[in-house]
Amino acid sequence: MESIKAKKMNVLPGFGLSLGFTIFYISLLIILPLSMVFLNTLDLKWSEIWKTISEPRVVASYKLSIGAAFIAAFINVIFGILIAWVLVRYRFPGVRIMDGLVDLPFALPTAIAGIALTTLYAQNGWIGQFLGFKIAFTSIGIVIALTFIGLPFVVRTVQPVLHNINRELEEASASLGANRWQTFVRVIFPELLPAALTGFTLAFARALGEYGSVVFIAGNMPMKTEITPLLIMTKLEQYDYSGATAIAAVMLLFSFLTLLLINLLQWWQNRRFE
């Protein structure tokens, strides 16, 4: 009887083979490469590792990369929800074109994006020449580049949730006397929050490791506009593989802790509204 029940629980045919292939595939493409980061780092002594990852120049790059990625992801959550709302709730000429343009940062090579943004926001650029302050080759330019490459993650994560929200709940809220803002805060936003957190996580993780679109607009000045991926590339060019992997391991651990925290928040949010 137990064997029959076990067979009934295996809905997919060939579950054992599929599971084995999945584990092999994930191990080959994700676990093995990531483990090599830590194995290469262990070629150094602990004192050398600490010296490498705690240099003032490296610490400054941590602060810039993490801070700019967080700000860009937060901006994308706000405007990503707004764009998704417009694309889902309204019909107007060109809506499909606008919807397709959201995916452009996915398809556009990041180096081209960096060159285009630098051309726009340089002091003699199309936009930069009209501004009273400098954007290109500053931390502001880095945030703009990271916002550009992270926007699709939020929009595409929130859109399906907006499509599936029951309009009757909004009508019931309005019939009970709630205005539009109260309906959004108390009815719609709790439904969007898990998707918004997921979009924030994806945009943040993407921005944290971004290199191509940032390296052109950043200016790459040590202690000011030098991002951590550029430092890793610099050490690789100097054949300092252990130093590069040590810095990469710090960013990897930070990314893992961030993902863990966001998943815990989503789990708590789901339990709260059950």
Side-chain angles (χ1 to χ4, degrees):
M1 290 294 293
E2 292 181 358
S3 60
I4 296 175
K5 290 181 180 179
K7 289 182 179 179
K8 289 182 178 180
M9 291 178 65
N10 295 334
V11 180
L12 295 176
F15 175 74
L17 180 61
S18 302
L19 179 61
F21 178 78
T22 301
I23 295 175
F24 170 76
Y25 196 76
I26 292 176
S27 300
L28 184 64
L29 292 183
I30 299 177
I31 298 178
L32 185 59
L34 294 182
S35 63
M36 292 305 299
V37 172
F38 296 99
L39 290 176
N40 285 333
T41 302
L42 294 178
D43 290 340
L44 298 173
K45 297 179 181 178
W46 286 108
S47 59
E48 294 174 331
I49 294 175
W50 177 252
K51 182 181 178 181
T52 300
I53 65 177
S54 62
E55 290 180 2
R57 182 178 176 182
V58 177
V59 173
S61 73
Y62 294 153
K63 293 178 180 179
L64 178 61
S65 294
I66 296 172
F70 182 87
I71 294 172
F74 184 77
I75 293 172
N76 278 329
V77 167
I78 297 174
F79 290 98
I81 291 176
L82 177 61
I83 292 172
W85 181 273
V86 171
L87 293 176
V88 172
R89 293 301 180 93
Y90 301 103
R91 288 292 173 266
F92 53 89
V95 63
R96 291 188 177 181
I97 296 176
M98 184 178 294
D99 186 63
L101 287 175
V102 170
D103 292 327
L104 188 60
F106 281 149
L108 190 68
T110 55
I112 296 177
I115 294 172
L117 291 172
T118 305
T119 304
L120 283 175
Y121 291 104
Q123 287 185 309
N124 59 346
W126 289 4
I127 297 177
Q129 62 181 328
F130 299 109
L131 301 175
F133 54 93
K134 190 176 180 180
I135 290 183
F137 314 124
T138 67
S139 56
I140 301 175
I142 296 174
V143 171
I144 291 175
L146 297 181
T147 303
F148 173 81
I149 57 100
L151 179 64
F153 291 98
V154 179
V155 176
R156 294 310 184 208
T157 305
V158 172
Q159 261 185 314
V161 180
L162 281 174
H163 273 295
N164 295 328
I165 289 180
N166 192 346
R167 297 289 186 92
E168 294 179 358
L169 296 177
E170 300 176 43
E171 295 173 0
S173 176
S175 66
L176 293 174
N179 56 37
R180 292 184 177 181
W181 176 250
Q182 291 173 327
T183 300
F184 178 81
V185 172
R186 298 184 179 182
V187 177
I188 300 175
F189 187 71
E191 296 289 333
L192 292 180
L193 186 56
L197 286 174
T198 301
F200 174 88
T201 305
L202 294 174
F204 178 78
R206 178 70 177 84
L208 199 61
E210 177 60 21
Y211 175 80
S213 63
V214 178
V215 71
F216 292 100
I217 199 172
N220 308 319
M221 293 180 288
M223 306 294 293
K224 292 183 179 180
T225 60
E226 190 175 43
I227 57 173
T228 304
L230 178 62
L231 272 180
I232 295 173
M233 287 297 299
T234 301
K235 288 190 174 294
L236 289 175
E237 290 173 354
Q238 297 171 352
Y239 301 101
D240 184 7
Y241 299 114
S242 298
T245 53
I247 299 174
V250 173
M251 298 299 288
L252 181 60
L253 287 174
F254 184 83
S255 299
F256 176 77
L257 292 175
T258 302
L259 292 173
L260 179 62
L261 177 61
I262 295 298
N263 286 328
L264 289 175
L265 285 174
Q266 289 179 329
W267 173 78
W268 174 78
Q269 186 72 19
N270 292 332
R271 289 200 60 184
R272 182 182 176 189
F273 289 100
E274 283 181 354

